[in-house]
């Protein structure tokens, strides 16, 4: 289930609110939406193979496949046995078709799954039903999108949602699943939902905070399926495994299976990773969850940092704790926020598989630099991180960084370059943020960070 995704950009909004009164907001966009630049999208590109040892990947596979996100254990592994056909129902936005087609190509090529799209009126193992966001969240308030077993429509799910019919723990062989996603959100959010929910419809049902390179992680830094994710799905559908196998049976097969599918992983060092404890997860969920007052959320983030340090974690779990603390300290304690972001960035930057996370931190630090009158520093931070944002195919992150870059260039007197960068940012913003009003709001918020724009 994909939760709220506001974490990454919330600090930019908070910083904009701290930038001081704006006497004359610059007119960045033409009045006519038709004059906006065309929406930009990412071309197909090769993804990086996982960089961890097969010993660690086997542990990840088992923990992903034999436990729910809630912590409930799964007695056996469930999967489809045979070809998987996908249909789309409801009012799908124009971007869904191309993004789904690209994802299905990847699943066939990289994961070896026999999967294809069929017409909306045909029978299918996977139904993707598109709904208005408000209708979806009236029934499931905490979900941006989700997947359910043994149903093929929203009405069917509504009737069965409190019954064992949609209980994944009772499933052995998957025959029908439905993915419910909103159609009135940005193209990127639709695409992100497609990637995460189709991956769970096909494969593992759990998320693990310890994973540095996966959409199967509730930190939500990765928005499209990674090389690790495709390896997990390829193993999940390998002929060596079958629906109904127990954890012990799968554990016996995995070493040989991974040695065949990922021979480089057999040569890498790295042992088992300490499990993520429930007390840390509870604090992180409190820190990031809606409906909790900000002071309590910040206390929860501080506790998450303390737990991670006490457990001896020096990996992405500590970094994510610091990232959450930095976000929640904005507008309250700027020094604490900056220190937390710097700590998170140091951990992320040290690992090749966490460059996307490092780019998110760099975006926040660049916003700090811009708002404090250091445009050269802001420019350097953005330029160093643009490649990671592009490789991660995160248009909202990329657009935000380019908007910061444009403001930095303006502050340095490089107006011509700033105009070109800003136009590029708008094209990505149309994919990342969607509605023209959202694009305008983001651009003005970033402009408000620059001291030169303030009254």
């Amino acid at each position: 289930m994909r939760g709220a995704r506001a974490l990454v950009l919330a600090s930019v909004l908070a910083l904009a609110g701290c930038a001081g009164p704006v006497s004359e907001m610059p007119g960045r966009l033409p009045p006519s939406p038709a004059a906006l630049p065309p929406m930009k999208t990412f071309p197909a590109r090769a993804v990086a193979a996982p960089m961890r040892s097969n010993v660690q990947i086997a542990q990840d596979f088992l923990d992903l496949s034999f436990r729910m996100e809630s912590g409930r254990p799964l007695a056996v592994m469930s999967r489809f046995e045979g070809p998987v056909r996908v249909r789309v129902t409801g009012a799908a936005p124009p971007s869904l078709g191309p993004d789904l087609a690209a994802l299905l190509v990847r699943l066939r090529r990289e994961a070896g799954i026999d999967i294809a799209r069929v017409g909306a009126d045909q029978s299918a193992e996977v139904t993707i039903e598109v709904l208005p966001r408000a209708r979806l969240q009236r029934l499931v308030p905490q979900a941006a999108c989700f997947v359910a077993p043994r149903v093929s429509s929203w009405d069917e799910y509504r009737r069965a949602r409190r019954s064992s019919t949609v209980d994944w723990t009772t499933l052995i062989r998957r025959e029908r699943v439905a993915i419910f996603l909103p159609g009135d959100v940005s193209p990127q959010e639709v695409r992100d939902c497609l990637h995460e929910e189709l991956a769970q419809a096909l494969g593992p049902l759990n998320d693990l905070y310890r994973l540095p390179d996966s959409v199967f992680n509730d930190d939500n830094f990765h928005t499209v399926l990674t090389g690790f994710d495709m390896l997990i799905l390829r193993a999940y559908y390998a002929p060596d495994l079958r629906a109904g196998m127990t954890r012990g049976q799968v554990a016996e097969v995995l070493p040989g299976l991974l040695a065949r599918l990922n021979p480089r992983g057999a040569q890498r060092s790295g042992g088992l990773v300490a499990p993520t404890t429930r007390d840390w997860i509870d604090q992180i969920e409190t820190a990031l969850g809606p409906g909790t007052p900000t002071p309590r959320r910040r206390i929860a983030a501080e506790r998450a940092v303390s737990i991670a340090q006490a457990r001896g974690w020096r990996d992405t779990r500590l970094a994510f704790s610091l990232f959450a603390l930095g976000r929640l300290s904005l507008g309250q304690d700027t020094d604490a926020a900056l220190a937390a972001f710097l700590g998170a960035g140091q951990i992320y930057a040290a690992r090749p598989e966490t460059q996307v996370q490092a780019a998110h931190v760099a975006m926040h630090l660049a916003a700090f630099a811009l708002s404090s009158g250091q445009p050269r520093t802001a420019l350097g931070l953005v330029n160093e991180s643009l490649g990671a944002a592009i490789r991660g195919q995160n248009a909202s992150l990329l657009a935000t960084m380019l908007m910061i870059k444009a403001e930095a260039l303006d502050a340095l007197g490089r107006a011509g370059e700033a105009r070109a960068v800003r136009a590029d940012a708008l094209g990505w913003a149309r994919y990342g943020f969607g509605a023209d009003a959202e694009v305008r709001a983001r651009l003005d918020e970033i402009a408000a960070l620059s001291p030169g724009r303030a009254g």
Side-chain angles (χ1 to χ4, degrees):
M1 181 183 294
R2 189 178 182 82
R5 301 291 172 131
L7 175 63
V8 172
L9 286 170
S11 65
V12 172
L13 303 182
L15 281 170
C18 295
V22 180
S23 60
E24 189 175 345
M25 188 64 71
R28 292 296 181 212
L29 300 182
S32 169
L36 290 173
M39 182 174 70
K40 290 178 175 285
T41 58
F42 294 98
R45 66 180 73 241
V47 296
M51 301 181 184
R52 286 172 288 127
S53 72
N54 281 350
V55 171
Q56 292 173 327
I57 294 172
Q59 178 193 16
D60 297 336
F61 185 99
L62 293 171
D63 290 346
L64 286 169
S65 303
F66 289 94
R67 195 168 293 276
M68 299 287 294
E69 289 183 57
S70 63
R72 295 173 67 195
L74 294 165
V76 297
M77 169 184 158
S78 67
R79 73 176 192 184
F80 291 103
E81 297 290 351
V84 178
R85 297 298 172 254
V86 180
R87 66 172 184 160
V88 178
T89 63
S95 65
L96 186 147
D99 282 340
L100 176 59
L103 175 56
L104 296 181
V105 167
R106 288 193 60 200
L107 288 168
R108 289 192 294 268
R109 184 181 66 241
E110 298 174 42
I113 298 174
D114 182 356
I115 188 169
R117 182 175 177 178
V118 297
D121 58 346
Q122 295 180 262
S123 62
E125 285 71 28
V126 178
T127 297
I128 300 171
E129 183 161 348
V130 183
L131 305 164
R133 176 167 53 182
R135 185 180 175 197
L136 187 152
Q137 293 190 333
R138 274 197 300 268
L139 203 63
V140 189
Q142 304 302 322
C145 46
F146 66 98
V147 59
R150 299 193 182 105
V151 295
S152 296
S153 72
W154 181 250
D155 289 339
E156 197 176 355
Y157 171 74
R158 288 182 62 193
R159 292 192 297 269
R161 70 189 185 100
R162 299 190 185 280
S163 73
S164 60
T165 298
V166 291
D167 184 350
W168 287 99
T169 66
T170 66
L171 201 62
I172 296 177
R173 178 170 175 162
R174 301 183 196 182
E175 296 177 339
R176 289 189 303 144
V177 302
I179 295 169
F180 303 110
L181 56 84
D184 52 354
V185 296
S186 72
Q188 177 165 318
E189 186 167 348
V190 174
R191 181 208 64 185
D192 295 355
C193 279
L194 282 174
H195 277 248
E196 182 169 341
E197 303 307 336
L198 188 51
Q200 292 198 316
L202 294 168
L205 300 168
N206 196 9
D207 281 335
L208 298 172
Y209 279 106
R210 70 170 184 257
L211 298 179
D213 53 355
S214 175
V215 302
F216 295 107
N217 186 329
D218 276 334
D219 67 10
N220 298 326
F221 282 118
H222 287 280
T223 57
V224 298
L225 292 175
T226 66
F228 169 86
D229 299 327
M230 288 298 184
L231 174 61
I232 292 294
L233 289 171
R234 180 174 283 276
Y236 209 88
Y237 280 87
D240 313 61
L241 304 179
R242 64 184 183 279
M245 292 180 72
T246 65
R247 183 182 179 111
Q249 290 172 326
V250 172
E252 289 183 8
V253 174
L254 271 182
L257 173 58
L258 289 175
R260 186 176 79 244
L261 297 181
N262 187 41
R264 282 179 293 186
Q267 310 303 319
R268 296 185 185 276
S269 60
L272 300 182
V273 179
T276 305
T277 54
R278 191 70 235 178
D279 57 349
W280 182 86
I281 294 173
D282 289 342
Q283 297 303 324
I284 283 292
E285 289 179 348
T286 299
L288 304 183
T292 303
T294 299
R296 284 186 56 195
R297 295 171 66 190
R298 185 181 176 194
I299 290 171
E302 291 171 342
R303 288 173 177 166
V305 171
S306 297
I307 292 170
Q309 291 171 334
R311 298 279 189 274
W313 301 339
R314 295 295 180 266
D315 56 16
T316 54
R317 291 169 292 187
L318 175 58
F320 189 53
S321 306
L322 290 165
F323 186 87
L325 178 59
R327 175 256 183 271
L328 292 165
S329 298
L330 289 163
Q332 300 182 41
D333 188 338
T334 302
D335 290 342
L338 183 57
F341 283 131
L342 288 170
Q346 187 175 27
I347 296 170
Y348 287 138
R351 302 179 65 170
E353 68 269 39
T354 53
Q355 295 310 294
V356 169
Q357 292 93 322
H360 280 280
V361 174
M363 181 269 287
H364 293 300
L365 295 175
F368 267 109
L370 182 64
S371 66
S372 60
Q374 303 177 63
R376 291 189 187 280
T377 300
L379 188 62
L381 286 163
V382 169
N383 284 340
E384 290 174 3
S385 303
L386 286 175
I390 293 170
R391 289 190 296 274
Q393 299 187 40
N394 191 322
S396 58
L397 173 63
L398 179 58
T400 302
M401 295 173 72
L402 289 171
M403 290 175 187
I404 293 172
K405 180 175 180 176
E407 289 299 325
L409 289 168
D410 262 339
L412 293 169
R414 296 157 65 178
E417 293 176 71
R419 282 193 296 272
V421 170
R422 192 170 289 114
D424 196 25
L426 293 177
W428 291 113
R430 297 194 74 180
Y431 186 84
F433 301 127
D436 293 339
E438 283 293 318
V439 175
R440 293 172 186 274
R442 299 295 175 176
L443 198 62
D444 285 346
E445 285 157 2
I446 299 301
L449 293 177
S450 179
R453 306 295 184 192

